[in-house]
Amino acid sequence: MRQEELELLLDDMSLHEKIYQLLQLPGTYYDGTVTTTGDNRDDSFSRDCVGQAGSVIGVCGAKEMKKIQDQIMESQPHHIPAVFMLDVVNGFRTIFPIPLAQGASFEPELSGRCARAAGKEAAVSGVQVTFAPMVDLVRDARWGRVMESTGEDPYLNSRFAEAMVTGFQGDDPGSPYSLAACVKHFAAYGAPTAGREYHAVDMSDRELHEYYLPAYQAAIDAGSELVMTAFNTLNGIPASGNTHLLREILRKEMGFEGVLIADYAALEDMIYHGFAENREAAARLALTAGVDIDMVTTIYSNELPRLVQEGKIEEKLIDEAVMRILQLKNRLGLFENPYKEADEREEQEVILCEEHRILAKEAAEKSFVLLKNEENLLPIADTGKKIALIGPYVNEKNIYGAWSFLGDSQDAVTIQEGVEKVYQQNLLTYAKGSPMLDESEEAKIMVEGFYHEKENRGNEQKLLEEALALAEEADVVVLALGEHFQQTGEGASRADITLPQPQMNLFREIKKTNKKVAVILFSGRPLDIRELAEEADAILEVWMPGTEGGTAIAETLAGIHNPSGKLSMSFPWCVGQVPVFYNQPSTGKPYHDGEKSGRFRSRYLDIPNGPLYPFGYGKSYTVFEYLDYYITSEILRKEGSITAGVTIKNTGEHEGTETVQLYIQDCFASVVRPVKELKGFQKIKLKPGEEQEVSFAITEPMLRFWKSEGIKDSEAGEFKVYIGTDSNCETALGFYLE
Ligand code: BGC
């Protein structure tokens, strides 16, 4: 439709019709398949709401969706189609690694391809909008949703944000097999106080603009059609009723023109926050702040008609919101084709197709981070060594992470299934060794009946004895340990981020056999793994790797694939350090771990300052040497460009991929700057003995920072350049900006 036609349509709609466009209902109201999270405290929707809702959440399946679409279009007076939305995060039915793991690939283009594939599966199943990407910057590993983010760095997150939006939306969201993207959660949801879910966020404008807003901005610049508000308060005001945040910052400053949707029942939360005194106030505050869609509450649909009739709110605000929603439907092509790509036959062909499984394996492999590898224990080549595979994750199919409700764990390849294809069978033995969780930990993830199949615990002593017997017989033990997948995700903050007790017990007992132990670590967050880091011979972090996790792990163990992932979030030394992140501001009394200094330094008396493993860290089976650093000039003019580079040589015995990282430090400025900031990265693949020069152009815009409202600029003076293998890299080059 042309804009004039949309305007005519809007003019012809009654007030109630318009208000129903602002409502999003769950598929349950249509007997659909429901796949959402959140508490539904509000379920008193009128028949008209159900018949005329502007959008529906949680329906999937082409047949289901078409039925509901027909129903709505029939009862909507102007036959306006609904738009169908769902969380398609790290996959639809084919599941890719969790976003935090994808961040570790340092390959945004790969995440773009995963988004495209997930989007295609979703599109043929009747989904038109995905609530992704989640780009909240994260620094606190206690927060359960760090798994949904690509990590702690604004530059890295921005690259992933734009790649994912482009992956989902293609050239435009109306094009075949594209979904509209919805970047979330605006803003700063990733910084809840003390890492506790839904807790308050307080931060300065500087912190917000420099670290937290860039990834949302990148998603908006890449054309994200929607933005979702956050559950949290920001400096005392709930995001969904925060006019300054949504109108001044999001719309004016960041130039967002699309549809703004409140997170699940977030309008109602404003009452619990003690911000809106009742439902009427919640409706008024949210609409005034510019929220277009009310997800799953009756607040807009019940309160707005009266507010307009009593003159307490201008109808113009409703018209603006409706127009944005009509424009979204129009861009998706729904007026011409309300089912978009939904197609039962294509569902059979596209979902879990070979091409998507191959991509899932590639994404999993590239996300693995080799944290430790003493005496090159890994890879374990198929050369006659007896391998005991032990641990609750050896045969576990729940390896998708908490945000993959459409993935069927039965489709997943376990480690056991993976290694059987790679090694000679007679060399392998398997044992569970311990339950995943102890009973009290299991009870915690089953709070309020949240779905989780209770584990068949077996006899713990017997499990341990079987495992120890196999370990004794073996040449090497591969221990597959980790968090339970429901210990991460929404509503899964943890204060003690260690491995579950039964698994630590298993680890300690296995160590007593004096066999070499390689740990395969599953997690949705950086964990406190000090003891493993000390005692294990090798550690491979595999996150929640998705459908082809087991295949990718087996091929990595065997050396068919060489790990190349780099941490997208620091692993704390212990929880007392959290939040710990590399790009911290310089302190007035700096301290470097290990240095001899007096007492009055910025340090802990009892633990190191640095994390256990820093951002950007990750080993390889081979060795990369950084040689011959150079910079083409020590002076950078404002309009000019200089180049800094280095030669990387593979001096090890395996072909491998290295992510070369560029960090810059602004040494003196009118605002204290971070000790280092990531400004670029390049992935290179080298054969043994091969070398390659890697260079980065440095220009003035890369040196700008947020100075005060509306002003982003650089300052002349001294800068340091670090090029290296992780954020701890030390060899510095220097230049002056004129
Ligand atoms: C989450 C969102 C999600 C929404 C719909 C909320 O609980 O915070 O990220 O998109 O539910 O499922």
Side-chain angles (χ1 to χ4, degrees):
M1 273 204 230
R2 283 173 295 117
Q3 178 62 23
E4 303 85 81
E5 291 174 279
L6 293 178
E7 280 161 19
L8 287 175
L9 172 62
L10 180 67
D11 279 351
D12 205 45
M13 289 166 76
S14 69
L15 178 63
H16 276 93
E17 243 187 299
K18 290 194 269 192
I19 290 170
Y20 296 142
Q21 285 300 304
L22 313 187
L23 169 66
Q24 176 154 103
L25 272 184
T28 23
Y29 287 91
Y30 309 88
D31 302 323
T33 330
V34 175
T35 42
T36 59
T37 60
D39 289 338
N40 211 353
R41 294 179 286 218
D42 186 355
D43 60 358
S44 51
F45 295 99
S46 68
R47 262 186 65 188
D48 280 349
C49 284
V50 178
Q52 298 188 36
S55 56
V56 181
I57 173 177
V59 171
C60 65
K63 192 162 162 229
E64 201 71 46
M65 175 267 172
K66 288 180 185 173
K67 200 175 76 190
I68 299 173
Q69 186 69 299
D70 289 347
Q71 205 177 316
I72 291 177
M73 288 179 73
E74 204 180 302
S75 41
Q76 207 294 327
H78 288 85
H79 311 296
I80 300 175
V83 46
F84 289 77
M85 310 196 184
L86 184 78
D87 297 90
V88 181
V89 180
N90 51 307
F92 183 77
R93 236 335 250 288
T94 309
I95 304 299
F96 304 103
I98 54 171
L100 191 65
Q102 293 189 32
S105 74
F106 272 65
E107 200 172 313
E109 174 274 334
L110 171 63
S111 287
R113 284 190 281 137
C114 294
R116 188 84 209 139
K120 188 169 182 184
E121 292 191 0
V124 298
S125 306
V127 179
Q128 297 154 348
V129 172
T130 173
F131 295 130
M134 187 279 223
V135 303
D136 304 318
L137 185 126
V138 289
R139 293 170 168 175
D140 190 330
R142 292 171 297 184
W143 191 46
R145 298 192 82 169
V146 302
M147 57 149 293
E148 284 174 66
S149 163
T150 48
E152 74 184 40
D153 183 72
Y155 178 81
L156 186 69
N157 287 357
S158 300
R159 303 291 75 78
F160 277 98
E162 60 206 14
M164 289 181 188
V165 169
T166 310
F168 285 125
Q169 296 197 164
D171 293 337
D172 88 81
S175 60
Y177 306 115
S178 293
L179 305 181
C182 174
V183 62
K184 65 191 188 184
H185 306 82
F186 198 78
Y189 181 41
T193 305
R196 202 183 78 209
E197 184 68 293
Y198 314 133
H199 210 344
V201 177
D202 265 278
M203 67 172 60
S204 66
D205 280 353
R206 175 178 319 288
E207 185 86 351
L208 181 70
H209 280 83
E210 281 211 46
Y211 298 101
Y212 289 83
L213 295 187
Y216 307 109
Q217 182 75 66
I220 291 166
D221 292 347
S224 182
E225 287 285 339
L226 297 92
V227 170
M228 186 186 289
T229 63
F231 284 132
N232 54 281
T233 55
L234 180 60
N235 301 331
I237 320 271
S240 303
N242 194 331
T243 306
H244 173 69
L245 178 69
L246 302 181
R247 290 214 184 258
E248 295 302 316
I249 298 185
L250 178 65
R251 295 243 183 243
K252 273 207 200 125
E253 203 179 301
M254 299 175 74
F256 176 63
E257 291 176 350
V259 171
L260 181 57
I261 183 168
D263 200 351
Y264 205 96
L267 263 49
E268 196 174 39
D269 288 0
M270 292 201 287
I271 302 171
Y272 292 86
H273 278 301
F275 181 70
E277 60 185 343
N278 51 32
R279 303 173 80 78
E280 178 186 305
R284 188 175 35 77
L285 286 161
L287 193 72
T288 307
V291 171
D292 300 323
I293 299 183
D294 172 5
M295 194 193 290
V296 307
T297 86
T298 53
I299 290 180
Y300 269 6
S301 53
N302 285 357
E303 306 299 325
L304 288 181
R306 194 169 16 89
L307 282 169
V308 175
Q309 276 143 15
E310 290 173 1
K312 290 185 180 157
I313 202 142
E314 283 182 86
E315 191 167 347
K316 192 170 105 282
L317 288 182
I318 295 178
D319 289 351
E320 283 169 9
V322 176
M323 179 50 79
R324 284 192 282 263
I325 294 164
L326 294 178
Q327 284 169 336
L328 169 68
K329 294 182 178 183
N330 195 36
R331 274 197 289 273
L332 282 163
L334 301 185
F335 290 107
E336 291 75 30
N337 179 8
Y339 305 145
K340 210 163 178 289
E341 280 80 40
D343 184 302
E344 293 89 324
R345 193 186 45 81
E346 278 215 271
E347 277 180 302
Q348 304 300 322
E349 285 166 19
V350 170
I351 287 175
L352 270 175
C353 62
E354 191 55 22
E355 189 189 330
H356 292 177
R357 277 193 173 267
I358 292 170
L359 180 60
K361 176 170 159 281
E362 178 188 351
E365 282 171 353
K366 288 181 169 170
S367 75
F368 296 165
V369 184
L370 184 63
L371 296 175
K372 182 176 182 187
N373 199 16
E374 286 287 287
E375 295 171 24
N376 296 327
L377 175 61
L378 295 179
I380 309 167
D382 190 7
T383 50
K385 273 194 192 146
K386 280 197 242 156
I387 312 170
L389 290 120
I390 296 172
Y393 266 105
V394 168
N395 225 341
E396 178 59 61
K397 283 194 175 263
N398 280 312
I399 51 173
Y400 292 170
W403 264 106
S404 305
F405 20 57
L406 290 161
D408 179 347
S409 58
Q410 289 316 308
D411 302 328
V413 180
T414 63
I415 295 184
Q416 181 163 341
E417 289 162 345
V419 289
E420 277 168 2
K421 287 184 257 167
V422 167
Y423 288 100
Q424 295 171 50
Q425 309 266 348
N426 58 346
L427 298 176
L428 306 174
T429 52
Y430 311 96
K432 184 170 175 185
S434 83
M436 183 80 76
L437 298 167
D438 70 23
E439 273 170 298
S440 69
E441 281 167 321
E442 183 163 34
K444 285 180 205 140
I445 58 169
M446 296 183 79
V447 228
E448 291 164 22
F450 190 67
Y451 178 71
H452 154 59
E453 231 171 280
K454 215 168 170 350
E455 191 181 358
N456 176 4
R457 317 184 60 75
N459 177 322
E460 284 183 39
Q461 190 53 34
K462 206 164 149 243
L463 287 178
L464 180 62
E465 282 164 14
E466 280 165 10
L468 289 173
L470 297 188
E472 292 290 358
E473 290 288 301
D475 297 311
V476 50
V477 177
V478 172
L479 253 189
L481 308 175
E483 285 183 298
H484 187 282
F485 81 104
Q486 289 291 18
Q487 287 183 300
T488 66
E490 187 173 349
S493 292
R494 294 179 67 202
D496 175 6
I497 50 174
T498 53
L499 277 178
Q501 270 319 304
Q503 299 189 46
M504 282 313 292
N505 183 41
L506 172 65
F507 173 73
R508 290 175 192 133
E509 293 299 320
I510 294 286
K511 270 305 291 175
K512 289 184 192 157
T513 63
N514 284 325
K515 298 287 164 156
K516 294 277 181 208
V517 177
V519 173
I520 310 292
L521 187 62
F522 290 74
S523 73
R525 54 157 67 82
L527 292 172
D528 171 350
I529 50 163
R530 263 171 296 160
E531 189 176 334
L532 293 187
E534 279 279 313
E535 302 288 334
D537 298 287
I539 307 173
L540 182 70
E541 168 67 59
V542 298
W543 315 104
M544 292 288 156
T547 310
E548 289 293 331
T551 322
I553 291 169
E555 294 192 6
T556 307
L557 278 177
I560 301 167
H561 174 77
N562 185 351
S564 60
K566 300 277 190 175
L567 293 179
S568 52
M569 191 178 177
S570 308
F571 266 52
W573 196 89
C574 71
V575 169
Q577 277 185 332
V578 165
V580 60
F581 49 95
Y582 84 94
N583 47 1
Q584 53 186 309
S586 304
T587 94
K589 303 193 193 304
Y591 173 77
H592 301 285
D593 288 326
E595 142 188 314
K596 288 221 179 323
S597 70
R599 180 177 179 119
F600 301 103
R601 294 280 149 203
S602 177
R603 61 181 289 196
Y604 299 103
L605 289 178
D606 50 349
I607 62 167
N609 276 3
L612 187 63
Y613 299 113
F615 173 83
Y617 172 85
K619 296 170 80 76
S620 166
Y621 293 157
T622 197
V623 181
F624 297 107
E625 272 184 37
Y626 282 62
L627 311 159
D628 307 329
Y629 287 87
Y630 70 88
I631 191 154
T632 50
S633 167
E634 284 181 3
I635 305 290
L636 172 64
R637 292 185 217 294
K638 246 196 154 164
E639 310 297 325
S641 166
I642 58 176
T643 301
V646 67
T647 296
I648 323 288
K649 183 166 186 185
N650 181 346
T651 56
E653 285 163 17
H654 300 260
E655 183 176 51
T657 299
E658 168 72 329
T659 299
V660 185
Q661 301 159 41
L662 168 76
Y663 296 89
I664 296 184
Q665 180 188 15
D666 186 344
C667 302
F668 301 97
S670 56
V671 173
V672 172
R673 306 300 306 143
V675 291
K676 259 183 204 138
E677 290 175 283
L678 183 72
K679 295 290 180 182
F681 53 86
Q682 287 178 41
K683 275 179 97 163
I684 54 164
K685 196 171 192 175
L686 296 177
K687 294 198 167 54
E690 205 181 347
E691 60 180 48
Q692 188 179 323
E693 186 186 313
V694 170
S695 65
F696 296 92
I698 300 173
T699 56
E700 180 274 330
M702 291 162 73
L703 311 176
R704 294 181 189 165
F705 60 94
W706 193 85
K707 298 187 69 165
S708 60
E709 209 161 307
I711 304 179
K712 228 184 140 204
D713 205 359
S714 61
E715 287 179 4
E718 186 185 345
F719 290 80
K720 277 188 189 153
V721 178
Y722 300 86
I723 304 177
T725 187
D726 62 42
S727 62
N728 271 354
C729 56
E730 278 177 356
T731 312
L733 304 161
F735 70 90
Y736 286 85
L737 173 68
E738 273 197 346

